[in-house]
Amino acid sequence: MTEFGKVGIVVRNIARADAAAVERLGRHGVATVHEAQGRAGLLKPWMRPVWPRAAACGTAVTVLAHPGDNWMLHVAAEVIRPGDVVVVGVTTDNDDGMFGDLLATSYRSRGARGLIIDAGVRDACSLADMQFPVWSRAIHARGTVKATLGSVNVPVVCAGMLVNPGDVVVADDDGVVIVPRERAAAVGDAAEARERKEEATRKRLAAGELGLDIYGMREALAKAGLKYVD
Amino acid sequence: MTEFGKVGIVVRNIARADAAAVERLGRHGVATVHEAQGRAGLLKPWMRPVWPRAAACGTAVTVLAHPGDNWMLHVAAEVIRPGDVVVVGVTTDNDDGMFGDLLATSYRSRGARGLIIDAGVRDACSLADMQFPVWSRAIHARGTVKATLGSVNVPVVCAGMLVNPGDVVVADDDGVVIVPRERAAAVGDAAEARERKEEATRKRLAAGELGLDIYGMREALAKAGLKYVD
Amino acid sequence: MTEFGKVGIVVRNIARADAAAVERLGRHGVATVHEAQGRAGLLKPWMRPVWPRAAACGTAVTVLAHPGDNWMLHVAAEVIRPGDVVVVGVTTDNDDGMFGDLLATSYRSRGARGLIIDAGVRDACSLADMQFPVWSRAIHARGTVKATLGSVNVPVVCAGMLVNPGDVVVADDDGVVIVPRERAAAVGDAAEARERKEEATRKRLAAGELGLDIYGMREALAKAGLKYVD
Amino acid sequence: MTEFGKVGIVVRNIARADAAAVERLGRHGVATVHEAQGRAGLLKPWMRPVWPRAAACGTAVTVLAHPGDNWMLHVAAEVIRPGDVVVVGVTTDNDDGMFGDLLATSYRSRGARGLIIDAGVRDACSLADMQFPVWSRAIHARGTVKATLGSVNVPVVCAGMLVNPGDVVVADDDGVVIVPRERAAAVGDAAEARERKEEATRKRLAAGELGLDIYGMREALAKAGLKYVD
Amino acid sequence: MTEFGKVGIVVRNIARADAAAVERLGRHGVATVHEAQGRAGLLKPWMRPVWPRAAACGTAVTVLAHPGDNWMLHVAAEVIRPGDVVVVGVTTDNDDGMFGDLLATSYRSRGARGLIIDAGVRDACSLADMQFPVWSRAIHARGTVKATLGSVNVPVVCAGMLVNPGDVVVADDDGVVIVPRERAAAVGDAAEARERKEEATRKRLAAGELGLDIYGMREALAKAGLKYVD
Amino acid sequence: MTEFGKVGIVVRNIARADAAAVERLGRHGVATVHEAQGRAGLLKPWMRPVWPRAAACGTAVTVLAHPGDNWMLHVAAEVIRPGDVVVVGVTTDNDDGMFGDLLATSYRSRGARGLIIDAGVRDACSLADMQFPVWSRAIHARGTVKATLGSVNVPVVCAGMLVNPGDVVVADDDGVVIVPRERAAAVGDAAEARERKEEATRKRLAAGELGLDIYGMREALAKAGLKYVD
């Protein structure tokens, strides 16, 4: 694996998570996948979808960029393969609109399924019209320069989470979660098991049963000293 | 009334605001109710509805919880009565998703009309599909533990406002306002009077009359020294 | 031009940008206009539309107001002319709901095309129902007093940008941009040229061509030292 | 007790916590007092001392004020008694400098031991020179008006915590904690016991013993599944 | 005057406020100067001194810079004259350390009295050791590039305030205030008058008199409806 | 290397950066080290020293903890070796005071040189009195529970930066920078070279020479189109 955060490098060929495992993960929501891998892998809550009900699942092409500079996002287009989600970490907190409808058009034509960027984006209405899924920390028209080298497909931190090229990215209205490439199948299994269990619980709750009883919490609560008064 | 912020207690039976008064308050928006009780009772502006045009009105079941710990939200389900809105204060600022579609299913089956939580929630799309109204400070998939005791139905501070069990909660796209239980009827009267007056004003403004004239502001402005120049 | 930030003055008659130039600018999005005038003129990214897909273009009537005090917004109504957009700067950061459906009714009846306010607004649902376009830093029910003089039609700073009365205001889902009155026609020309060029680029990108080639970036990247590895 | 958040009232005489209990609490830091009353009573972490190593302990005179309006802070001066700490809640988040060296001079001459204000203050250097202890959310020169009624000595929320007139306020570099009036003596006892215990622990830790052993954590960690690897 | 926010220009010679007027303003604190010019001219409260008790007063050399790019700060050094304070506005919110001890050494050697920058700075300890006064929005080690043109001595917005080249800048622990060049002498007069008056008030307050009586507030409070209860 | 972010593991023995290389890096400030490794490795600017002029350099012992839960900080004490700096990443943004004077006493007795924690700390005055260097995102008295497993000496993200056990941590008033273990010596060389060069530049700048000339910027500025006007 290339060195974390190394600048000035484009890695053309990366190992990607198994396509079948990615498809299976894509059937679950972010909350389920996050639980299924032991409450890990989430990006910070400031990462929000640009349009309602956006959802995406794919393999990470990573980008390390500088604030207000989207040069590397153009470089990344060339290494996108169908099924990828581009994940952009930025060296400094920045809300500039580093991605818009032109890059979205390019990424889509290369087969990208979405973008995760710890900065701003613009052309929000066009992105919604195109139904190109984007998660960002801001929406802002501010344009960018193309002046400083970053990298493509090196490990990066995006919104507080380490992302390695080829990892699985799952994103929906609850945020974004990363599943390490090697764990994709195992987490998929766990997510399916969890969903089956939740479905059963949902029915019992809908019928008026209490979580206190379904999950057997009463004893632990009493032991912890909870007192009921009228 | 139980002591403010006391930990480790569940109060099963609380005095609730008069049901008829609650219904009347529910016919008005948050802005009107807030004005009608003398510009008081509002939660902080960071409390936002999870889905557009959500609206709720009911009697408060209060919860005191710890960051990243939703144990007490399960405990609260048992004391919900039809017409309640659950109001959750948290001891520390926290964006974890402490409430999702399973708890919403449970709360709805018990008759709850909504949730106000000074923390995060998850399963945002499902909450919208269920049309279960929720106001929160964040949307995030991060799950929670069940480890530390809080309380149910003690007075709490939620998003900067004191909430007593049984108070009226009115919430819409403009935020959340609390009406003390004893004042529900009086505030309902004032809200109706205000709305009638506003309706008349609205017609005059729509016809092109100026607020300066309708509200008789010109004299006060001149006295304060306002100068018009061409 | 009246002194920047001067308090206690209402300027009744202002020079407004040429109506035809305003119409032409209104055909372009905020991102395009911002680029067309050399990446200048944008308000801060915290200014967001109150309802999705709001868009507005008009000539600025400026207001200088105090936190939690909307007296001057009433004063401004009288000097609005058809085609204006009211732009409100506030002396201190404040999220109170200084504008709601009554003022919107009044402004619309006077011919206003929208409101830009570096504070909060309320009656968010009504504003959406009316399709009255508003950009603000917050949505909150908190009402305001009418106690302290500000000004109307003096130069103000709104969300970090200088706005002179009569300037062109263009706003959409990407934010808000100001075009100085004298530059309206020239920026309109540049915006049209830019849009034509972008349309051609969009087609090539959609066909799978790379920005690297369209924009001729490869040489500069190599010169900067970018290395490709497999 | 007067109604929470009621506007337009000054309560002249309030029951104050027992002076001896206040003195005892003042010997402990905020962290200790907070633990001693069951991890409750803390104001939000944004409340910071204006000058380093400020510390104060006294009985609360409460003020409810409006953003950018310090009228009620002048009203409060008259009801201060020696040993009081003035606690100011504001209806809206605001950073204006609502308190400076003149009010500090006045408060000190009336016997006040400090100020806790969920807004801004100014004359920061003078406050340090006077050694008048102040905790605030901001330091800013912005002056205020005197236009809108609030209250003095009604229950208020300050920085997320309910404060009743006469409660004990303890403040130092770790923040501000409120002890309800009736609990002052009991919390003082608990604080003393805690401090004795901590002193013994401190010596053992300084000698190189591990908290793992002193607090007997090893078994619980193993039970929870912690694994050691080399 | 050069056009607001124009990019790519350095104005070598600017009209500066009268030196004697600057000296007089420098004898007063920011709070006093701000009041003396009618509560106007303040930068946002996020602008804080890098070291305690820093104070500066001088004439503005303005810089328009891009985030993470301090090229223009080097350009500005050449046009500094003794008695200037450099004021830097940035096109996008940014915390990078755009100024450190080398530039401080250069600025001091040219006669600059301080720096006001709506971005980050670094070498905080060295700046304190040099006693070079700096106000910034952040302290951070992040270095910058030199890639994009801005301007020197065009009007800019810095931390929400319009600053024209040659204006007076007064800064201390309460923040930063701008006095327009033409108003320097008049504001100086007003500041002196205000300070004399405050000195007299301070003595009366220290003697235990109440602001209620000194400022004659009792009647207005009663008229507004304030009620005293025991 | 153990898996990133893995929960429930304590790695007792880690490879640490070469002691001599650590000492050499400790002679330089954070800004210099950050530049010397190509403008990489910095934690976010919200990480600030608890007391002025704190400085620390050592090898990282990493901790992964949960919000409001400092169990793992006790576990970490046992694996500290003289010369280590403890670096704590937290799964969710949190300001609770997870570290205070007791843990500082313990860490110091084990030979720790400081603490970097992306959460709050308390006993700020005692930490200053002990001269135990701490960088945190907040200071707050709020205590914590010991309920949920994290890990010690697995790779973590702290304040936006990946930290591997054994990496070098350099911290001062400008923030915190991480140097990967294998690069310690090379970055030390680069830092020394940089410092020598800066010292020479500093003398020339102090003598009044301009950076424009020393760095040879004039040609590039002219080429970029910068215009000088009088």
Side-chain angles (χ1 to χ4, degrees):
Chain A
M1 182 71 67
T2 312
E3 186 184 325
F4 172 80
K6 189 171 174 65
V7 168
I9 294 248
V10 182
V11 180
R12 278 206 193 87
N13 301 307
I14 56 172
R16 285 169 169 86
D18 174 69
V22 173
E23 290 316 305
R24 282 171 60 208
L25 281 167
R27 288 180 210 131
H28 305 284
V30 169
T32 297
V33 172
H34 151 73
E35 293 281 351
Q37 73 173 333
R39 294 188 181 161
L42 281 176
L43 275 64
K44 295 281 184 191
W46 66 66
M47 296 298 289
R48 301 294 303 143
V50 167
W51 43 272
R53 297 182 175 264
C57 181
T59 40
V61 161
T62 63
V63 178
L64 177 63
H66 296 275
D69 187 321
N70 72 353
W71 217 10
M72 289 303 116
L73 275 78
H74 288 277
V75 172
E78 193 173 22
V79 302
I80 291 172
R81 295 200 186 156
D84 284 341
V85 171
V86 180
V87 179
V88 185
V90 182
T91 53
T92 297
D93 289 351
N94 179 258
D95 288 344
D96 291 355
M98 292 171 63
F99 181 94
D101 74 335
L102 287 182
L103 268 170
T105 300
S106 175
Y107 279 22
R108 170 154 284 171
S109 83
R110 311 295 291 188
R113 292 183 179 169
L115 175 82
I116 316 292
I117 183 166
D118 195 9
V121 299
R122 61 187 190 179
D123 303 327
C125 282
S126 301
L127 296 176
D129 290 342
M130 294 172 66
Q131 294 279 298
F132 187 82
V134 175
W135 285 254
S136 69
R137 64 184 295 145
I139 297 171
H140 199 210
R142 174 91 51 201
T144 48
V145 297
K146 289 142 188 48
T148 309
L149 283 194
S151 286
V152 174
N153 278 335
V154 303
V156 299
V157 169
C158 177
M161 178 53 46
L162 178 68
V163 188
N164 283 302
D167 283 351
V168 188
V169 182
V170 187
D172 65 17
D173 206 51
D174 290 347
V176 184
V177 66
I178 304 299
V179 178
R181 182 168 57 89
E182 305 81 3
R183 300 189 59 202
V187 173
D189 291 346
E192 282 157 19
R194 185 177 170 86
E195 206 123 293
R196 278 193 298 272
K197 198 172 151 193
E198 283 207 345
E199 190 44 41
T201 305
R202 191 174 290 111
K203 280 177 190 158
R204 294 174 67 181
L205 291 168
E209 269 192 88
L210 289 166
L212 289 180
D213 299 312
I214 297 174
Y215 303 118
M217 292 172 172
R218 291 192 192 273
E219 193 182 359
L221 286 164
K223 202 173 161 188
L226 189 66
K227 285 198 179 63
Y228 284 82
V229 299
D230 285 321
Chain B
M1 181 72 67
T2 313
E3 187 184 324
F4 171 81
K6 188 171 175 63
V7 168
I9 294 248
V10 181
V11 180
R12 278 206 192 88
N13 300 307
I14 56 171
R16 284 168 168 87
D18 174 68
V22 173
E23 291 316 305
R24 284 172 58 209
L25 282 167
R27 288 180 211 131
H28 305 286
V30 168
T32 296
V33 172
H34 150 73
E35 293 281 351
Q37 72 173 335
R39 295 190 180 161
L42 281 175
L43 275 64
K44 295 282 184 190
W46 66 66
M47 296 299 289
R48 300 295 303 142
V50 167
W51 42 272
R53 295 183 175 262
C57 181
T59 40
V61 161
T62 62
V63 178
L64 177 63
H66 296 274
D69 188 322
N70 71 354
W71 217 11
M72 289 304 115
L73 275 78
H74 288 278
V75 172
E78 193 173 23
V79 303
I80 291 171
R81 295 200 186 157
D84 285 342
V85 171
V86 180
V87 178
V88 185
V90 183
T91 52
T92 297
D93 288 352
N94 179 259
D95 287 344
D96 291 354
M98 290 172 65
F99 180 93
D101 74 336
L102 287 182
L103 268 169
T105 301
S106 175
Y107 279 23
R108 170 154 283 170
S109 82
R110 311 294 292 186
R113 292 184 179 169
L115 175 83
I116 315 292
I117 183 167
D118 195 9
V121 298
R122 61 186 190 180
D123 303 327
C125 282
S126 300
L127 296 176
D129 291 342
M130 295 172 65
Q131 294 279 298
F132 187 82
V134 175
W135 286 253
S136 70
R137 66 184 294 145
I139 297 172
H140 199 212
R142 173 90 51 201
T144 48
V145 296
K146 289 142 188 50
T148 309
L149 283 194
S151 287
V152 174
N153 279 334
V154 304
V156 299
V157 169
C158 177
M161 178 53 45
L162 179 68
V163 188
N164 284 302
D167 283 351
V168 188
V169 182
V170 187
D172 64 18
D173 207 51
D174 289 348
V176 184
V177 66
I178 304 299
V179 178
R181 181 167 58 87
E182 305 79 4
R183 300 189 59 201
V187 173
D189 290 346
E192 281 157 20
R194 186 178 170 85
E195 206 122 292
R196 277 192 298 273
K197 197 171 151 194
E198 283 207 346
E199 190 45 41
T201 305
R202 190 174 290 112
K203 280 177 192 158
R204 295 174 66 181
L205 291 167
E209 267 191 90
L210 289 166
L212 290 179
D213 298 312
I214 296 175
Y215 304 118
M217 292 172 172
R218 291 192 192 273
E219 192 183 359
L221 286 163
K223 201 173 161 188
L226 189 66
K227 285 198 181 62
Y228 285 83
V229 299
D230 286 322
Chain C
M1 181 70 68
T2 312
E3 187 185 325
F4 171 79
K6 189 171 175 64
V7 168
I9 294 247
V10 182
V11 180
R12 279 205 192 89
N13 301 307
I14 57 171
R16 285 168 168 85
D18 174 68
V22 174
E23 291 315 305
R24 282 172 60 209
L25 282 168
R27 288 179 211 132
H28 305 284
V30 168
T32 297
V33 172
H34 150 75
E35 294 281 352
Q37 73 173 334
R39 294 189 182 160
L42 281 175
L43 275 63
K44 295 282 184 190
W46 66 66
M47 296 297 291
R48 302 294 304 141
V50 167
W51 42 272
R53 296 182 176 263
C57 181
T59 40
V61 161
T62 62
V63 178
L64 177 62
H66 296 275
D69 189 320
N70 71 353
W71 217 12
M72 289 303 115
L73 275 78
H74 288 277
V75 172
E78 193 171 25
V79 303
I80 291 171
R81 295 199 187 158
D84 285 340
V85 171
V86 181
V87 178
V88 185
V90 183
T91 52
T92 297
D93 288 353
N94 179 257
D95 288 344
D96 291 355
M98 291 171 64
F99 181 94
D101 73 335
L102 287 183
L103 268 169
T105 301
S106 174
Y107 279 23
R108 170 153 284 170
S109 82
R110 311 294 292 187
R113 292 183 180 170
L115 174 84
I116 315 292
I117 182 166
D118 195 9
V121 299
R122 61 186 190 181
D123 303 327
C125 283
S126 300
L127 296 175
D129 290 342
M130 295 172 65
Q131 294 280 298
F132 187 83
V134 175
W135 286 255
S136 69
R137 66 184 295 145
I139 296 173
H140 199 211
R142 173 91 51 202
T144 47
V145 297
K146 288 141 187 51
T148 309
L149 282 194
S151 287
V152 174
N153 279 335
V154 303
V156 300
V157 169
C158 177
M161 179 52 47
L162 179 68
V163 188
N164 283 302
D167 283 351
V168 188
V169 182
V170 187
D172 64 18
D173 207 51
D174 289 349
V176 183
V177 67
I178 303 299
V179 179
R181 182 167 58 91
E182 305 79 3
R183 301 187 60 201
V187 173
D189 290 346
E192 281 157 20
R194 186 177 170 85
E195 206 122 293
R196 277 192 298 272
K197 197 172 152 194
E198 283 208 345
E199 190 44 41
T201 305
R202 191 174 289 114
K203 280 177 189 159
R204 294 173 68 182
L205 291 168
E209 268 191 90
L210 289 166
L212 290 179
D213 298 313
I214 297 174
Y215 304 117
M217 292 172 173
R218 291 191 192 273
E219 193 182 358
L221 286 164
K223 201 174 162 188
L226 188 66
K227 286 198 179 62
Y228 285 82
V229 300
D230 286 321
Chain D
M1 181 72 67
T2 312
E3 187 183 325
F4 171 80
K6 189 170 174 63
V7 168
I9 295 248
V10 182
V11 180
R12 279 205 192 87
N13 300 307
I14 57 171
R16 285 168 168 86
D18 173 68
V22 174
E23 291 316 305
R24 283 171 59 209
L25 282 167
R27 287 180 211 131
H28 306 284
V30 168
T32 297
V33 171
H34 151 73
E35 293 281 353
Q37 73 173 334
R39 293 187 182 162
L42 281 175
L43 275 62
K44 294 282 183 191
W46 64 67
M47 296 298 290
R48 301 294 304 142
V50 167
W51 42 272
R53 294 182 176 264
C57 181
T59 40
V61 161
T62 62
V63 178
L64 177 62
H66 295 275
D69 188 321
N70 71 353
W71 217 10
M72 290 302 115
L73 275 78
H74 288 277
V75 172
E78 192 171 25
V79 303
I80 291 172
R81 295 199 187 158
D84 285 340
V85 171
V86 180
V87 178
V88 184
V90 182
T91 52
T92 297
D93 288 353
N94 179 258
D95 287 345
D96 291 354
M98 290 172 64
F99 180 94
D101 73 336
L102 287 182
L103 267 170
T105 301
S106 175
Y107 279 21
R108 170 154 283 172
S109 82
R110 312 293 292 187
R113 292 184 178 168
L115 175 83
I116 315 292
I117 183 166
D118 195 9
V121 298
R122 61 187 190 179
D123 303 326
C125 283
S126 300
L127 296 176
D129 290 342
M130 294 172 66
Q131 294 279 298
F132 187 82
V134 175
W135 286 254
S136 70
R137 66 184 295 145
I139 297 172
H140 198 211
R142 173 91 51 203
T144 48
V145 296
K146 288 142 188 52
T148 309
L149 282 194
S151 287
V152 174
N153 279 334
V154 304
V156 300
V157 168
C158 177
M161 178 53 46
L162 178 68
V163 188
N164 284 301
D167 282 351
V168 188
V169 182
V170 186
D172 64 18
D173 206 49
D174 289 348
V176 183
V177 66
I178 304 299
V179 179
R181 182 167 59 87
E182 306 78 4
R183 300 188 59 200
V187 173
D189 291 346
E192 282 157 20
R194 186 177 170 85
E195 205 123 295
R196 277 193 298 272
K197 197 171 151 196
E198 284 208 346
E199 190 45 41
T201 305
R202 191 174 289 110
K203 281 177 191 158
R204 294 174 67 182
L205 291 168
E209 268 191 271
L210 289 166
L212 289 180
D213 298 313
I214 296 175
Y215 303 118
M217 291 172 173
R218 291 193 193 272
E219 192 182 1
L221 285 164
K223 201 173 161 187
L226 189 66
K227 287 200 179 59
Y228 285 83
V229 300
D230 287 319
Chain E
M1 181 71 68
T2 313
E3 186 185 325
F4 171 80
K6 189 171 174 64
V7 168
I9 294 247
V10 182
V11 181
R12 279 206 192 88
N13 301 307
I14 57 170
R16 286 169 167 85
D18 174 68
V22 174
E23 291 316 305
R24 282 172 58 208
L25 282 168
R27 287 179 211 133
H28 305 284
V30 169
T32 297
V33 172
H34 150 73
E35 293 280 352
Q37 73 173 334
R39 295 187 181 161
L42 281 175
L43 275 63
K44 295 281 183 190
W46 66 66
M47 296 298 290
R48 302 294 303 142
V50 167
W51 41 273
R53 295 182 175 265
C57 181
T59 40
V61 161
T62 62
V63 179
L64 177 63
H66 295 276
D69 188 321
N70 71 354
W71 217 11
M72 289 303 115
L73 276 78
H74 288 278
V75 172
E78 193 172 24
V79 303
I80 291 172
R81 296 199 185 158
D84 284 342
V85 171
V86 180
V87 179
V88 184
V90 183
T91 52
T92 298
D93 288 352
N94 179 257
D95 288 344
D96 291 354
M98 290 172 64
F99 181 94
D101 73 335
L102 287 182
L103 267 170
T105 301
S106 175
Y107 279 22
R108 170 154 283 171
S109 83
R110 312 294 291 188
R113 292 183 178 168
L115 175 83
I116 315 291
I117 182 167
D118 194 10
V121 299
R122 62 187 190 178
D123 303 326
C125 282
S126 300
L127 296 176
D129 290 342
M130 295 172 66
Q131 295 279 298
F132 187 82
V134 175
W135 285 254
S136 70
R137 65 184 295 145
I139 296 172
H140 199 212
R142 174 90 52 200
T144 49
V145 297
K146 289 141 187 50
T148 309
L149 282 194
S151 287
V152 175
N153 279 335
V154 304
V156 299
V157 169
C158 177
M161 178 53 45
L162 178 68
V163 188
N164 284 301
D167 283 350
V168 188
V169 183
V170 186
D172 64 18
D173 206 50
D174 289 347
V176 183
V177 67
I178 304 300
V179 179
R181 182 167 58 89
E182 305 80 3
R183 300 189 59 202
V187 173
D189 291 345
E192 282 157 19
R194 185 178 170 86
E195 208 124 291
R196 278 192 298 273
K197 198 172 150 192
E198 283 207 346
E199 190 45 41
T201 305
R202 191 175 288 111
K203 280 177 190 159
R204 293 175 67 182
L205 291 168
E209 268 191 89
L210 289 166
L212 290 180
D213 298 313
I214 297 174
Y215 303 117
M217 291 172 174
R218 291 193 193 272
E219 193 182 359
L221 286 164
K223 202 174 160 187
L226 189 66
K227 286 198 179 61
Y228 284 82
V229 299
D230 286 320
Chain F
M1 180 71 67
T2 313
E3 187 184 324
F4 171 79
K6 189 172 173 63
V7 168
I9 294 247
V10 182
V11 180
R12 278 205 192 89
N13 301 306
I14 56 172
R16 286 169 167 86
D18 174 68
V22 174
E23 291 315 306
R24 282 172 60 208
L25 282 167
R27 288 180 210 130
H28 305 284
V30 169
T32 297
V33 172
H34 150 74
E35 293 280 352
Q37 73 174 334
R39 293 189 183 160
L42 281 175
L43 274 62
K44 294 281 182 191
W46 65 67
M47 296 298 291
R48 301 294 304 142
V50 167
W51 42 272
R53 295 183 176 264
C57 181
T59 40
V61 162
T62 62
V63 179
L64 177 62
H66 296 275
D69 189 320
N70 72 353
W71 216 11
M72 289 304 114
L73 276 77
H74 289 277
V75 172
E78 194 171 24
V79 303
I80 292 172
R81 295 198 187 159
D84 285 340
V85 171
V86 181
V87 178
V88 185
V90 183
T91 52
T92 297
D93 288 353
N94 179 258
D95 288 344
D96 291 354
M98 291 172 64
F99 181 94
D101 74 335
L102 287 182
L103 268 169
T105 301
S106 174
Y107 279 22
R108 170 154 283 171
S109 82
R110 311 295 291 188
R113 292 184 180 169
L115 174 84
I116 315 293
I117 182 166
D118 195 9
V121 298
R122 62 186 190 179
D123 303 327
C125 283
S126 300
L127 296 176
D129 289 342
M130 294 172 66
Q131 294 280 297
F132 188 84
V134 175
W135 286 254
S136 69
R137 65 183 296 144
I139 296 172
H140 199 211
R142 173 91 51 201
T144 47
V145 297
K146 289 143 187 48
T148 308
L149 282 194
S151 286
V152 174
N153 279 335
V154 303
V156 300
V157 169
C158 177
M161 178 53 46
L162 179 68
V163 188
N164 283 302
D167 283 351
V168 188
V169 183
V170 186
D172 64 18
D173 207 50
D174 289 348
V176 183
V177 67
I178 304 299
V179 178
R181 181 166 59 88
E182 306 79 4
R183 302 189 58 202
V187 173
D189 290 346
E192 282 158 19
R194 186 178 170 86
E195 207 123 292
R196 277 192 298 273
K197 197 172 151 194
E198 283 208 345
E199 189 45 41
T201 305
R202 191 174 289 112
K203 280 178 191 158
R204 294 174 67 183
L205 291 168
E209 268 191 271
L210 288 166
L212 289 180
D213 298 312
I214 296 175
Y215 304 117
M217 291 172 174
R218 291 191 193 273
E219 192 182 0
L221 286 164
K223 201 174 161 186
L226 188 66
K227 287 199 178 61
Y228 285 82
V229 299
D230 286 320

